[in-house]
Amino acid sequence: MKNYVVICLLSFMVSGCVTTPEPSMEHVVDYALNRAVEQYKHMYAVMDSIPEMLPRSVDKNGGLETSDSYFWTSGFYPGTLWYLYEYTGDEQLKEMASRMSDRVEIQKYNKDNHDVGFMINCSFGNKYRLLGDTSCIDIITTTARSLSTRYRSAVGCTRSWSHPGTLHWQFPVIIDNMMNLELLCRATEFSGDKSFYNMAISHADKTMANHFRPDYSCYHVVNYDTISGNALQKCTWQGYADESVWSRGQSWALYGYTMMYRETKQPRYLEQARHIARFLINHPKMPQDKIPYWDFDDPGVPNVLRDASAAAIMASALLELSGYVDKATGQDYIAVAETQLKTLASDEYLAKPGENANFILKHSVGFLPQNSEVDVPLTYADYYFVEALMRYRAMCLKE
Ligand code: GLY
């Protein structure tokens, strides 16, 4: 008995010494946002000396890879700088965000692809949200006019791609395209022209009808017949296989329908978002730390890459969705998002100061089947991570 007491006492002392208390969410959020500020200010110093370009990822040697504003990710760096200005109130960050947004403005005339929504809404949409700067109104409505040239009423959607590698499809619509509908809704709000809003509704409805499987997982690409508007083919471009569950696609879907519910208050979009959330949260292959594998159906799971970008987009969407549902369901969504944010803010994913070419997060997967941007930092992982942190702060930490 005496020995037992001594052993208990010793193990209590040892565990007392080695166990560090779990950091509070308040600490996690501030820690990650401060690291983001540090990284992105360093990145600005580099970008300032490379006119017209925007950060994209890293090259094979781990050095910064940039793109011109035509590339689909160009709006994310300025957009993140706007969020970091919102967090700090630092005038220097405001100036940086403004200058980097200016580099993207020319894309308001781009009629070549659907991604102008990402480019202009993440940059100038956030600028307008924070500053109410009326010059953004014209930029956003001009962009919506460009995007609306890609709408075909026989199909009821805006066309996603038209670049040479995708011309074997008549009219490809990808699930990612849900994200660009927010800009159309903004344009109607600014201009009073309901046609943009009606296009967004039509696109969301048609996507709901054709992109989803009975379990609410989604296809990446649906190819439509331009005359009949029927779906000809359902397949993938960036996922493991046509019938697989490409994780970032599921996150775009979750975010897209949550956002469309916010914009329209149509209950069918809320229902769709709830179904997608249920599918993802209960997926038997969702890891404990809630950072999805790049594709849930890669046969190599669990020994395959995770995608930090899918987790960041999902966390941000779940936080918003938690505000539209009953309290118990909302708490479930917040709990998943908390786990994702904690994992992303850990040493495994969060870059150390000055490392990772000054990006914020490590370990995203861009386009694995083409061996492009595999296990790298990506600006959209950073953008949605910072957005999720800001949402968490506003919803769960401030009185
Ligand atoms: N929109 C392209 C992607 O998610 O990779």
Side-chain angles (χ1 to χ4, degrees):
M1 180 63 186
K2 204 169 150 201
N3 280 351
Y4 175 76
V5 171
V6 170
I7 287 166
C8 283
L9 200 63
L10 273 175
S11 52
F12 173 78
M13 284 166 68
V14 170
S15 65
C17 291
V18 294
T19 307
T20 37
E22 174 125 332
S24 68
M25 274 311 287
E26 189 164 9
H27 173 84
V28 169
V29 168
D30 279 332
Y31 176 77
L33 283 170
N34 286 326
R35 179 67 51 79
V37 169
E38 197 176 348
Q39 291 293 88
Y40 267 31
K41 280 191 167 182
H42 282 307
M43 188 180 270
Y44 184 87
V46 179
M47 293 311 303
D48 201 28
S49 62
I50 316 175
E52 294 179 21
M53 304 300 272
L54 282 307
R56 172 177 169 173
S57 184
V58 292
D59 59 26
K60 299 280 176 224
N61 303 316
L64 175 68
E65 189 186 356
T66 60
S67 73
D68 62 22
S69 67
Y70 183 75
F71 192 64
W72 78 277
T73 60
S74 63
F76 293 119
Y77 179 59
T80 307
L81 288 169
W82 282 118
Y83 273 121
L84 297 176
Y85 164 61
E86 183 180 14
Y87 173 58
T88 57
D90 178 346
E91 290 294 314
Q92 214 185 12
L93 278 164
K94 179 173 151 189
E95 182 63 20
M96 292 172 178
S98 209
R99 283 169 181 254
M100 288 295 146
S101 297
D102 290 346
R103 292 188 183 188
V104 181
E105 183 180 339
I106 188 70
Q107 296 308 322
K108 66 188 177 189
Y109 300 121
N110 181 348
K111 297 178 180 150
D112 286 354
N113 75 64
H114 65 129
D115 287 321
V116 288
F118 279 119
M119 297 169 186
I120 297 296
N121 201 40
C122 295
S123 51
F124 289 96
N126 276 309
K127 181 174 182 179
Y128 182 78
R129 183 176 66 80
L130 294 174
L131 306 186
D133 182 332
T134 49
S135 68
C136 302
I137 291 179
D138 181 57
I139 295 168
I140 288 167
T141 45
T142 301
T143 311
R145 275 194 291 277
S146 300
L147 180 55
S148 66
T149 64
R150 304 185 65 76
Y151 183 81
R152 192 171 178 110
S153 40
V155 177
C157 289
T158 56
R159 181 185 180 122
S160 293
W161 298 315
S162 2
H163 54 269
T166 60
L167 292 179
H168 52 293
W169 291 310
Q170 274 194 41
F171 194 99
V173 175
I174 64 173
I175 190 65
D176 327 24
N177 202 344
M178 284 297 301
M179 302 294 286
N180 296 308
L181 307 182
E182 188 169 356
L183 178 119
L184 294 175
C185 296
R186 279 293 75 66
T188 289
E189 182 190 319
F190 292 152
S191 66
D193 180 347
K194 281 284 269 183
S195 66
F196 301 123
Y197 181 84
N198 291 339
M199 284 178 206
I201 298 254
S202 171
H203 187 110
D205 287 343
K206 194 84 187 241
T207 300
M208 203 153 84
N210 288 309
H211 259 84
F212 290 85
R213 306 183 182 102
D215 63 2
Y216 293 96
S217 69
C218 65
Y219 291 94
H220 184 203
V221 186
V222 174
N223 176 30
Y224 288 99
D225 184 303
T226 51
I227 310 295
S228 69
N230 293 335
L232 296 171
Q233 195 183 356
K234 301 182 180 188
C235 52
T236 197
W237 184 240
Q238 283 165 258
Y240 177 78
D242 290 344
E243 291 298 330
S244 75
V245 175
W246 174 53
S247 63
R248 193 164 55 254
Q250 316 310 303
S251 294
W252 291 139
L254 177 67
Y255 195 116
Y257 282 97
T258 303
M259 174 275 294
M260 279 304 284
Y261 176 67
R262 179 216 311 147
E263 295 297 332
T264 65
K265 291 288 170 271
Q266 293 293 329
R268 63 184 181 278
Y269 299 146
L270 178 59
E271 273 311 292
Q272 188 73 4
R274 289 184 65 145
H275 285 306
I276 301 164
R278 193 175 308 125
F279 169 79
L280 275 173
I281 289 171
N282 298 319
H283 197 290
K285 293 184 201 158
M286 176 63 90
Q288 281 278 310
D289 63 10
K290 311 293 180 202
I291 311 299
Y293 300 106
W294 79 278
D295 189 306
F296 285 97
D297 293 316
D298 182 330
V301 167
N303 302 312
V304 303
L305 292 168
R306 309 291 195 88
D307 180 11
S309 75
I313 298 159
M314 184 177 161
S316 189
L318 284 176
L319 287 170
E320 176 167 12
L321 189 57
S322 74
Y324 303 145
V325 294
D326 60 277
K327 203 161 175 210
T329 310
Q331 285 304 328
D332 290 346
Y333 295 164
I334 290 172
V336 173
E338 273 181 2
T339 304
Q340 289 173 319
L341 294 181
K342 276 190 203 158
T343 311
L344 293 175
S346 72
D347 287 348
E348 177 69 18
Y349 286 92
L350 191 69
K352 292 203 166 52
E355 294 185 1
N356 203 36
N358 297 314
F359 289 93
I360 302 164
L361 290 178
K362 303 178 273 184
H363 305 314
S364 287
V365 173
F367 196 166
L368 196 138
Q370 284 198 354
N371 197 25
S372 167
E373 299 182 335
V374 177
D375 197 13
V376 291
L378 291 168
T379 46
Y380 43 102
D382 289 0
Y383 177 88
Y384 290 102
F385 179 50
V386 169
E387 181 181 83
L389 292 165
M390 291 297 286
R391 284 182 172 179
Y392 188 90
R393 196 166 168 265
M395 293 172 68
C396 306
L397 298 179
K398 288 195 160 171
E399 308 100 299

